Coordinates of all heavy atoms in Angstrom, one line a residue:
M1 N 42.4 -4.1 12.6 CA 43.4 -3.2 13.0 C 44.8 -3.9 12.9 O 44.9 -5.0 13.3 CB 43.0 -2.6 14.4 CG 43.8 -2.9 15.6 SD 43.1 -2.1 17.0 CE 42.8 -3.5 18.0
I2 N 45.8 -3.1 12.4 CA 47.1 -3.7 12.3 C 48.2 -2.7 12.8 O 47.9 -1.5 12.9 CB 47.4 -4.1 10.8 CG1 47.4 -2.8 9.9 CG2 46.5 -5.2 10.3 CD1 48.0 -3.1 8.6
K3 N 49.3 -3.3 13.1 CA 50.5 -2.4 13.5 C 51.4 -2.4 12.3 O 51.7 -3.4 11.7 CB 51.2 -3.0 14.7 CG 52.4 -2.2 15.1 CD 53.0 -2.6 16.4 CE 53.6 -4.0 16.4 NZ 54.3 -4.4 17.6
V4 N 51.9 -1.2 12.0 CA 52.9 -1.0 10.9 C 54.0 -0.2 11.5 O 53.8 0.5 12.5 CB 52.4 -0.4 9.6 CG1 51.3 -1.2 9.0 CG2 51.8 1.0 9.9
S5 N 55.2 -0.3 11.0 CA 56.4 0.5 11.4 C 56.8 1.4 10.3 O 57.0 1.0 9.2 CB 57.5 -0.5 11.8 OG 58.6 0.3 12.3
I6 N 56.8 2.7 10.7 CA 57.2 3.8 9.8 C 58.3 4.5 10.4 O 58.2 5.1 11.4 CB 56.0 4.7 9.4 CG1 54.9 3.9 8.8 CG2 56.5 5.8 8.5 CD1 53.6 4.7 8.5
D7 N 59.5 4.5 9.7 CA 60.7 5.2 10.2 C 61.0 4.8 11.7 O 61.3 5.7 12.5 CB 60.6 6.7 10.1 CG 60.7 7.2 8.7 OD1 61.2 6.4 7.8 OD2 60.3 8.3 8.4
G8 N 60.8 3.5 12.1 CA 61.1 3.1 13.4 C 60.0 3.4 14.4 O 60.1 3.0 15.6
R9 N 58.9 4.0 14.0 CA 57.7 4.3 14.9 C 56.6 3.3 14.6 O 56.2 3.1 13.5 CB 57.3 5.7 14.7 CG 56.1 6.1 15.5 CD 55.7 7.6 15.2 NE 55.8 8.2 16.5 CZ 56.1 9.4 16.7 NH1 56.5 10.2 15.8 NH2 56.1 9.9 17.9
D10 N 56.1 2.7 15.7 CA 55.0 1.7 15.5 C 53.7 2.5 15.5 O 53.3 3.3 16.3 CB 54.9 0.8 16.7 CG 56.0 -0.2 16.6 OD1 56.6 -0.5 15.5 OD2 56.4 -0.8 17.7
I11 N 52.9 2.3 14.4 CA 51.6 3.0 14.1 C 50.5 1.9 14.0 O 50.7 0.9 13.4 CB 51.7 3.7 12.8 CG1 52.9 4.6 12.7 CG2 50.4 4.5 12.5 CD1 52.9 5.8 13.6
L12 N 49.4 2.2 14.6 CA 48.2 1.4 14.5 C 47.3 2.0 13.4 O 47.0 3.2 13.4 CB 47.4 1.4 15.9 CG 46.1 0.7 15.9 CD1 45.9 0.1 17.3 CD2 44.9 1.5 15.6
V13 N 46.9 1.1 12.5 CA 46.0 1.5 11.4 C 44.8 0.7 11.5 O 44.8 -0.5 11.6 CB 46.7 1.3 10.0 CG1 45.7 1.7 8.9 CG2 48.0 2.1 9.9
A14 N 43.6 1.4 11.5 CA 42.3 0.7 11.7 C 41.4 1.2 10.5 O 41.5 2.3 10.1 CB 41.7 1.1 13.0
N15 N 40.5 0.3 10.2 CA 39.4 0.6 9.2 C 38.1 0.7 10.0 O 37.6 -0.3 10.5 CB 39.4 -0.5 8.1 CG 38.3 -0.3 7.1 OD1 37.4 0.5 7.3 ND2 38.5 -0.9 5.9
I16 N 37.6 1.9 10.1 CA 36.3 2.2 10.8 C 35.3 2.5 9.7 O 35.3 3.6 9.1 CB 36.5 3.3 11.8 CG1 37.7 3.1 12.7 CG2 35.2 3.5 12.6 CD1 37.6 1.9 13.6
D17 N 34.4 1.6 9.5 CA 33.3 1.8 8.6 C 33.8 2.3 7.2 O 33.2 3.2 6.6 CB 32.2 2.8 9.2 CG 31.6 2.3 10.4 OD1 31.4 1.1 10.5 OD2 31.3 3.2 11.3
G18 N 34.8 1.7 6.7 CA 35.4 2.0 5.4 C 36.3 3.2 5.4 O 36.8 3.5 4.3
K19 N 36.5 3.8 6.5 CA 37.5 4.9 6.6 C 38.7 4.5 7.4 O 38.5 4.0 8.5 CB 36.8 6.2 7.2 CG 35.7 6.7 6.3 CD 35.2 8.0 6.8 CE 34.1 8.5 5.9 NZ 33.6 9.8 6.3
Y20 N 39.9 4.8 6.9 CA 41.1 4.4 7.6 C 41.5 5.5 8.6 O 41.4 6.7 8.3 CB 42.2 4.1 6.7 CG 42.0 2.8 5.9 CD1 41.3 2.7 4.8 CD2 42.5 1.6 6.5 CE1 41.1 1.5 4.1 CE2 42.3 0.4 5.8 CZ 41.6 0.4 4.6 OH 41.4 -0.8 4.0
C21 N 42.1 5.2 9.7 CA 42.6 6.1 10.7 C 43.9 5.5 11.2 O 44.1 4.3 11.2 CB 41.7 6.5 11.8 SG 41.0 5.1 12.6
A22 N 44.8 6.3 11.8 CA 46.1 5.9 12.3 C 46.5 6.7 13.5 O 46.3 7.9 13.5 CB 47.1 6.0 11.2
T23 N 47.0 6.0 14.5 CA 47.5 6.6 15.7 C 48.8 5.9 16.1 O 49.1 4.8 15.6 CB 46.5 6.5 16.9 OG1 46.4 5.1 17.3 CG2 45.2 7.1 16.6
D24 N 49.4 6.4 17.1 CA 50.6 5.7 17.7 C 50.0 4.3 18.2 O 48.9 4.2 18.7 CB 51.2 6.4 18.9 CG 52.0 7.6 18.5 OD1 52.5 7.6 17.4 OD2 52.2 8.6 19.3
D25 N 50.9 3.3 18.2 CA 50.4 2.0 18.6 C 50.7 1.8 20.1 O 50.2 0.9 20.7 CB 51.1 0.9 17.8 CG 50.7 -0.5 18.2 OD1 49.5 -0.8 18.1 OD2 51.5 -1.3 18.6
S26 N 51.5 2.6 20.7 CA 51.9 2.4 22.1 C 51.0 3.1 23.1 O 50.8 4.4 23.0 CB 53.4 2.9 22.4 OG 54.3 2.2 21.6
C27 N 50.5 2.4 24.1 CA 49.6 3.0 25.1 C 50.4 4.0 25.9 O 51.6 3.7 26.3 CB 49.1 1.9 26.0 SG 48.1 2.5 27.4
T28 N 49.8 5.2 26.2 CA 50.6 6.2 26.9 C 50.6 5.9 28.4 O 51.3 6.6 29.2 CB 49.9 7.6 26.7 OG1 48.6 7.6 27.1 CG2 50.1 8.0 25.2
H29 N 50.0 4.9 28.9 CA 50.0 4.4 30.3 C 51.2 3.4 30.5 O 52.1 3.6 31.3 CB 48.7 3.8 30.7 CG 48.8 3.1 32.1 ND1 48.7 1.8 32.2 CD2 49.1 3.6 33.3 CE1 48.8 1.4 33.5 NE2 49.1 2.5 34.2
S30 N 51.2 2.4 29.7 CA 52.1 1.3 29.9 C 53.1 1.0 28.8 O 54.0 0.2 29.0 CB 51.3 0.0 30.2 OG 50.5 -0.3 29.1
G31 N 52.8 1.6 27.6 CA 53.7 1.3 26.5 C 53.3 0.1 25.8 O 54.0 -0.3 24.8
S32 N 52.3 -0.6 26.1 CA 51.9 -1.8 25.5 C 51.4 -1.5 24.1 O 51.0 -0.4 23.8 CB 50.8 -2.6 26.3 OG 49.7 -1.8 26.4
S33 N 51.4 -2.6 23.2 CA 50.9 -2.4 21.9 C 49.4 -2.4 21.8 O 48.7 -3.4 22.2 CB 51.4 -3.6 21.0 OG 50.9 -3.5 19.7
L34 N 48.8 -1.3 21.4 CA 47.4 -1.2 21.3 C 46.8 -2.1 20.3 O 45.6 -2.5 20.4 CB 47.0 0.3 21.1 CG 47.3 1.2 22.3 CD1 47.1 2.7 21.9 CD2 46.4 0.9 23.5
S35 N 47.5 -2.4 19.2 CA 47.0 -3.3 18.2 C 46.7 -4.7 18.7 O 46.1 -5.5 18.1 CB 48.0 -3.3 17.0 OG 49.2 -3.8 17.4
E36 N 47.2 -5.0 19.9 CA 47.0 -6.3 20.5 C 45.8 -6.2 21.5 O 45.4 -7.2 22.1 CB 48.2 -6.8 21.3 CG 49.4 -7.0 20.4 CD 50.6 -7.4 21.2 OE1 50.6 -7.5 22.5 OE2 51.7 -7.5 20.6
G37 N 45.2 -5.0 21.6 CA 44.0 -4.8 22.4 C 42.7 -5.1 21.6 O 42.7 -5.8 20.6
K38 N 41.6 -4.4 22.0 CA 40.3 -4.5 21.3 C 39.9 -3.3 20.6 O 40.2 -2.2 21.1 CB 39.2 -4.9 22.3 CG 39.4 -6.3 22.9 CD 38.1 -6.7 23.6 CE 38.2 -6.1 25.0 NZ 37.1 -6.5 25.9
L39 N 39.2 -3.4 19.5 CA 38.6 -2.3 18.8 C 37.1 -2.5 18.7 O 36.7 -3.5 18.2 CB 39.2 -2.2 17.4 CG 38.7 -1.0 16.5 CD1 39.0 0.3 17.1 CD2 39.2 -1.2 15.1
E40 N 36.4 -1.5 19.3 CA 34.9 -1.6 19.2 C 34.4 -0.2 18.8 O 34.7 0.8 19.5 CB 34.3 -1.9 20.6 CG 34.6 -3.3 21.0 CD 33.9 -3.7 22.4 OE1 32.9 -3.1 22.7 OE2 34.5 -4.5 23.1
G41 N 33.8 -0.2 17.6 CA 33.5 1.1 17.0 C 34.8 1.8 16.7 O 35.7 1.3 16.0
C42 N 35.0 3.0 17.2 CA 36.2 3.8 17.1 C 37.0 3.8 18.4 O 38.0 4.6 18.5 CB 36.0 5.2 16.5 SG 35.0 6.2 17.6
V43 N 36.7 3.0 19.3 CA 37.4 2.9 20.6 C 38.4 1.8 20.7 O 38.0 0.6 20.5 CB 36.4 2.8 21.8 CG1 37.1 2.8 23.1 CG2 35.4 4.0 21.8
I44 N 39.7 2.1 20.9 CA 40.7 1.2 21.1 C 40.8 0.9 22.6 O 41.0 1.9 23.4 CB 42.1 1.6 20.7 CG1 42.0 2.1 19.2 CG2 43.1 0.6 20.9 CD1 43.2 2.9 18.8
T45 N 40.8 -0.3 23.1 CA 41.0 -0.6 24.5 C 42.3 -1.4 24.7 O 42.5 -2.4 24.1 CB 39.8 -1.5 25.1 OG1 38.6 -0.8 24.9 CG2 40.0 -1.8 26.5
C46 N 43.2 -0.8 25.5 CA 44.5 -1.5 25.7 C 44.3 -2.8 26.4 O 43.5 -2.9 27.3 CB 45.3 -0.6 26.6 SG 46.9 -1.3 27.1
G47 N 45.0 -3.8 25.9 CA 44.8 -5.2 26.4 C 45.5 -5.4 27.8 O 45.2 -6.3 28.5
W48 N 46.3 -4.5 28.2 CA 47.0 -4.6 29.5 C 46.2 -4.1 30.7 O 46.0 -4.8 31.7 CB 48.4 -3.9 29.5 CG 49.4 -4.7 28.8 CD1 49.2 -5.7 27.9 CD2 50.8 -4.5 28.8 NE1 50.4 -6.1 27.4 CE2 51.4 -5.4 28.0 CE3 51.6 -3.6 29.5 CZ2 52.8 -5.4 27.8 CZ3 53.0 -3.6 29.4 CH2 53.6 -4.5 28.5
H49 N 45.8 -2.8 30.6 CA 45.1 -2.2 31.8 C 43.8 -1.5 31.4 O 43.2 -0.7 32.1 CB 46.0 -1.2 32.4 CG 47.3 -1.8 33.0 ND1 48.5 -1.5 32.4 CD2 47.5 -2.7 34.0 CE1 49.4 -2.2 33.1 NE2 48.8 -2.9 34.0
A50 N 43.3 -1.8 30.2 CA 42.0 -1.3 29.7 C 41.8 0.2 29.5 O 40.7 0.8 29.5 CB 40.8 -1.8 30.6
A51 N 43.0 0.9 29.3 CA 42.9 2.3 29.0 C 42.2 2.4 27.6 O 42.4 1.6 26.7 CB 44.3 3.0 28.9
E52 N 41.4 3.5 27.4 CA 40.6 3.6 26.1 C 41.0 4.9 25.4 O 41.2 6.0 26.0 CB 39.1 3.6 26.4 CG 38.6 2.3 27.0 CD 37.1 2.3 27.2 OE1 36.5 3.3 27.0 OE2 36.6 1.2 27.7
F53 N 41.1 4.8 24.1 CA 41.5 5.9 23.2 C 40.5 5.9 22.0 O 40.1 4.9 21.5 CB 42.9 5.8 22.7 CG 43.9 5.8 23.8 CD1 44.3 4.6 24.4 CD2 44.5 7.0 24.3 CE1 45.2 4.5 25.4 CE2 45.4 6.9 25.4 CZ 45.8 5.7 25.9
D54 N 40.3 7.1 21.4 CA 39.5 7.2 20.2 C 40.5 7.0 19.1 O 41.5 7.8 18.9 CB 38.9 8.6 20.1 CG 38.0 8.8 18.9 OD1 38.5 8.4 17.8 OD2 36.9 9.4 19.0
C55 N 40.4 6.0 18.2 CA 41.3 5.8 17.2 C 41.3 6.7 16.0 O 42.2 6.8 15.2 CB 41.3 4.3 16.7 SG 39.8 3.9 15.8
K56 N 40.2 7.5 15.9 CA 40.1 8.5 14.9 C 40.9 9.8 15.2 O 41.5 10.4 14.3 CB 38.6 8.9 14.6 CG 37.8 7.8 14.0 CD 36.4 8.3 13.8 CE 35.5 7.2 13.2 NZ 34.1 7.7 13.0
T57 N 40.9 10.1 16.5 CA 41.6 11.4 16.9 C 42.8 11.1 17.8 O 43.6 12.1 18.0 CB 40.6 12.3 17.7 OG1 40.3 11.6 18.9 CG2 39.4 12.6 16.9
G58 N 42.9 10.0 18.4 CA 44.0 9.7 19.4 C 43.7 10.2 20.8 O 44.5 10.0 21.7
K59 N 42.5 10.8 21.0 CA 42.2 11.3 22.3 C 42.0 10.3 23.3 O 41.4 9.2 23.1 CB 40.9 12.2 22.2 CG 41.0 13.4 21.3 CD 41.8 14.4 22.0 CE 41.8 15.7 21.1 NZ 42.9 16.6 21.5
F60 N 42.5 10.5 24.5 CA 42.3 9.7 25.7 C 40.8 9.7 26.1 O 40.3 10.8 26.1 CB 43.2 10.2 26.8 CG 42.8 9.7 28.2 CD1 43.0 8.4 28.5 CD2 42.2 10.5 29.0 CE1 42.6 7.9 29.8 CE2 41.8 10.1 30.3 CZ 42.0 8.8 30.7
L61 N 40.2 8.6 26.3 CA 38.8 8.5 26.7 C 38.6 8.1 28.1 O 37.8 8.8 28.8 CB 38.1 7.6 25.8 CG 38.0 8.0 24.3 CD1 37.4 6.9 23.5 CD2 37.4 9.3 24.1
K62 N 39.2 7.0 28.6 CA 38.8 6.5 29.9 C 40.0 5.7 30.5 O 40.6 4.8 29.9 CB 37.6 5.6 29.7 CG 37.1 5.0 31.0 CD 35.8 4.1 30.6 CE 35.3 3.4 31.8 NZ 34.3 2.4 31.5
F63 N 40.2 6.0 31.8 CA 41.2 5.2 32.6 C 41.1 5.9 34.0 O 40.7 7.1 34.1 CB 42.6 5.4 32.1 CG 43.6 4.4 32.6 CD1 43.4 3.0 32.4 CD2 44.6 4.8 33.4 CE1 44.3 2.1 32.9 CE2 45.5 3.9 33.9 CZ 45.3 2.5 33.7
P64 N 41.4 5.2 35.1 CA 41.3 5.8 36.4 C 42.2 7.0 36.6 O 41.9 7.8 37.5 CB 41.8 4.7 37.3 CG 41.4 3.4 36.6 CD 41.7 3.8 35.1
M65 N 43.2 7.2 35.8 CA 44.0 8.4 35.9 C 44.1 9.1 34.5 O 43.9 8.4 33.5 CB 45.4 8.1 36.5 CG 46.2 7.1 35.6 SD 47.7 6.5 36.4 CE 48.9 7.6 35.6
K66 N 44.5 10.4 34.5 CA 44.6 11.1 33.2 C 45.8 10.6 32.5 O 46.9 10.5 33.0 CB 44.7 12.6 33.5 CG 44.9 13.4 32.3 CD 43.7 13.5 31.4 CE 44.0 14.5 30.2 NZ 43.4 14.0 29.0
L67 N 45.7 10.3 31.2 CA 46.8 9.9 30.3 C 46.9 10.9 29.2 O 46.0 11.7 28.8 CB 46.5 8.5 29.7 CG 46.3 7.4 30.7 CD1 46.0 6.1 30.0 CD2 47.6 7.2 31.6
R68 N 48.1 10.9 28.5 CA 48.3 11.7 27.4 C 47.5 11.1 26.2 O 47.4 9.9 26.1 CB 49.8 11.7 27.0 CG 50.6 12.6 27.8 CD 52.1 12.6 27.4 NE 52.8 11.3 27.6 CZ 53.1 10.5 26.6 NH1 53.0 10.9 25.3 NH2 53.7 9.4 26.8
D69 N 47.1 12.0 25.3 CA 46.5 11.6 24.0 C 47.5 10.9 23.2 O 48.8 11.1 23.3 CB 46.0 12.8 23.2 CG 44.8 13.4 23.9 OD1 44.1 12.8 24.8 OD2 44.6 14.6 23.6
L70 N 47.1 10.1 22.2 CA 48.0 9.5 21.2 C 48.2 10.5 20.1 O 47.3 11.3 19.8 CB 47.3 8.2 20.7 CG 47.0 7.1 21.6 CD1 46.1 6.0 21.0 CD2 48.2 6.5 22.2
T71 N 49.2 10.3 19.3 CA 49.4 11.1 18.1 C 48.6 10.5 17.0 O 48.6 9.2 16.9 CB 50.9 11.1 17.7 OG1 51.7 11.7 18.7 CG2 51.1 11.9 16.4
S72 N 47.8 11.3 16.3 CA 47.0 10.7 15.2 C 47.7 11.2 13.9 O 48.4 12.2 13.9 CB 45.6 11.1 15.2 OG 45.5 12.5 15.1
Y73 N 47.5 10.4 12.8 CA 48.1 10.7 11.5 C 47.1 10.7 10.5 O 46.0 10.1 10.5 CB 49.1 9.5 11.2 CG 50.1 9.3 12.3 CD1 49.9 8.5 13.4 CD2 51.4 10.0 12.2 CE1 50.9 8.3 14.4 CE2 52.3 9.9 13.2 CZ 52.0 9.0 14.3 OH 53.0 8.8 15.3
N74 N 47.3 11.5 9.4 CA 46.5 11.6 8.3 C 46.6 10.3 7.4 O 47.8 9.8 7.3 CB 46.8 12.8 7.4 CG 46.4 14.1 8.0 OD1 45.4 14.1 8.8 ND2 47.1 15.1 7.8
V75 N 45.5 9.8 7.0 CA 45.6 8.6 6.1 C 44.9 8.9 4.8 O 43.9 9.5 4.7 CB 44.8 7.4 6.8 CG1 44.8 6.2 5.9 CG2 45.4 7.1 8.2
I76 N 45.6 8.5 3.7 CA 45.1 8.7 2.4 C 44.9 7.3 1.7 O 45.8 6.5 1.8 CB 46.1 9.6 1.6 CG1 46.2 10.9 2.3 CG2 45.6 9.7 0.2 CD1 47.5 11.7 1.9
V77 N 43.8 7.2 1.1 CA 43.5 5.9 0.3 C 43.5 6.3 -1.2 O 42.7 7.2 -1.6 CB 42.2 5.3 0.7 CG1 41.9 4.0 -0.1 CG2 42.2 4.9 2.2
E78 N 44.3 5.6 -2.0 CA 44.3 5.8 -3.4 C 44.2 4.4 -4.1 O 45.1 3.6 -3.9 CB 45.6 6.5 -3.9 CG 45.7 7.9 -3.4 CD 47.0 8.6 -3.8 OE1 47.9 7.9 -4.4 OE2 47.2 9.8 -3.6
S79 N 43.2 4.2 -4.8 CA 42.9 2.9 -5.4 C 42.9 1.8 -4.3 O 42.1 1.9 -3.3 CB 43.9 2.6 -6.5 OG 43.8 3.5 -7.5
D80 N 43.8 0.9 -4.4 CA 43.9 -0.2 -3.4 C 45.0 0.0 -2.4 O 45.4 -0.9 -1.6 CB 44.1 -1.5 -4.1 CG 42.9 -2.0 -4.9 OD1 41.8 -1.5 -4.5 OD2 43.1 -2.8 -5.8
S81 N 45.6 1.2 -2.4 CA 46.7 1.5 -1.5 C 46.4 2.4 -0.4 O 45.6 3.4 -0.5 CB 47.9 2.2 -2.3 OG 48.4 1.3 -3.3
V82 N 46.9 2.2 0.8 CA 46.7 3.0 2.0 C 48.0 3.6 2.4 O 49.0 3.0 2.5 CB 46.2 2.2 3.2 CG1 46.0 3.0 4.4 CG2 44.8 1.5 2.8
F83 N 48.0 5.0 2.6 CA 49.2 5.7 2.9 C 49.0 6.4 4.2 O 47.9 7.0 4.5 CB 49.6 6.8 1.8 CG 49.9 6.2 0.5 CD1 48.9 6.0 -0.4 CD2 51.2 5.8 0.2 CE1 49.1 5.5 -1.7 CE2 51.5 5.3 -1.1 CZ 50.4 5.1 -2.0
V84 N 50.1 6.5 5.1 CA 50.1 7.3 6.3 C 51.1 8.4 6.1 O 52.2 8.2 5.8 CB 50.4 6.4 7.5 CG1 50.6 7.2 8.8 CG2 49.4 5.3 7.7
E85 N 50.6 9.6 6.4 CA 51.5 10.8 6.2 C 52.4 10.8 7.4 O 52.0 10.6 8.6 CB 50.7 12.1 6.1 CG 50.0 12.2 4.8 CD 49.4 13.6 4.7 OE1 49.0 14.2 5.6 OE2 49.2 14.0 3.5
K86 N 53.7 11.2 7.2 CA 54.7 11.3 8.2 C 54.6 12.6 8.9 O 54.3 13.6 8.3 CB 56.1 11.0 7.7 CG 56.3 9.7 7.1 CD 57.7 9.6 6.5 CE 57.9 8.3 5.8 NZ 59.2 8.2 5.1
I87 N 54.8 12.6 10.2 CA 54.9 13.9 11.0 C 56.0 14.8 10.5 O 57.1 14.3 10.3 CB 55.0 13.6 12.5 CG1 53.8 12.9 13.0 CG2 55.3 14.8 13.2 CD1 54.0 12.5 14.5
G88 N 55.7 16.1 10.3 CA 56.7 17.1 10.0 C 57.1 17.0 8.5 O 57.9 17.7 8.1
R89 N 56.4 16.2 7.8 CA 56.7 16.1 6.3 C 55.4 16.0 5.6 O 55.0 15.0 5.1 CB 57.5 14.8 6.0 CG 58.8 14.8 6.8 CD 59.5 13.5 6.4 NE 60.6 13.2 7.3 CZ 61.3 12.1 7.3 NH1 61.0 11.1 6.5 NH2 62.2 11.9 8.2
A90 N 54.8 17.2 5.4 CA 53.5 17.2 4.9 C 53.4 16.6 3.5 O 52.4 16.0 3.1 CB 53.0 18.7 4.8
S91 N 54.5 16.6 2.7 CA 54.4 16.0 1.4 C 54.9 14.6 1.3 O 55.0 14.0 0.3 CB 55.3 16.9 0.4 OG 56.6 16.9 0.8
C92 N 55.3 14.0 2.5 CA 55.8 12.6 2.5 C 54.8 11.7 3.0 O 54.0 12.0 4.0 CB 57.0 12.6 3.5 SG 58.6 12.9 2.7
R93 N 54.7 10.5 2.4 CA 53.8 9.5 2.9 C 54.4 8.2 2.8 O 55.3 8.0 2.0 CB 52.5 9.5 2.1 CG 52.2 10.5 1.2 CD 50.9 10.4 0.5 NE 51.1 10.1 -0.9 CZ 50.1 10.0 -1.7 NH1 48.9 10.2 -1.4 NH2 50.4 9.8 -3.0
E94 N 54.0 7.3 3.6 CA 54.5 5.9 3.6 C 53.4 4.9 3.3 O 52.3 5.0 3.9 CB 55.0 5.6 5.0 CG 55.7 4.3 5.2 CD 57.1 4.3 4.6 OE1 57.7 5.3 4.4 OE2 57.6 3.2 4.2
R95 N 53.6 4.0 2.4 CA 52.6 3.1 2.0 C 52.4 2.0 3.1 O 53.4 1.5 3.6 CB 52.9 2.4 0.7 CG 51.8 1.5 0.2 CD 52.2 0.9 -1.2 NE 51.0 0.1 -1.6 CZ 51.0 -0.5 -2.8 NH1 52.0 -0.4 -3.6 NH2 50.0 -1.2 -3.1
V96 N 51.2 1.7 3.4 CA 50.9 0.7 4.5 C 50.7 -0.7 3.8 O 50.0 -0.8 2.8 CB 49.7 1.1 5.3 CG1 49.4 0.0 6.3 CG2 50.0 2.4 6.0

């Protein structure tokens, strides 16, 4: 899993069983970088307070209090290139 910056927004990109997925990199609890946490299967665990999110959907999974989901992004793989689609610009993509 890596962190990339697209138009000033930090995005976490992960390869899960050969399929790429992308979500916001900032934890909705503390703002910490999720790419510095752990990835097990498709579950991202925040390194600061152990909040858990599904990296395929951005859905909040586990924490003592309710947190907001992460934004997830469409990922397209063409040959050896990985692209993340930008929000609000269906025809725009950014190479990772």
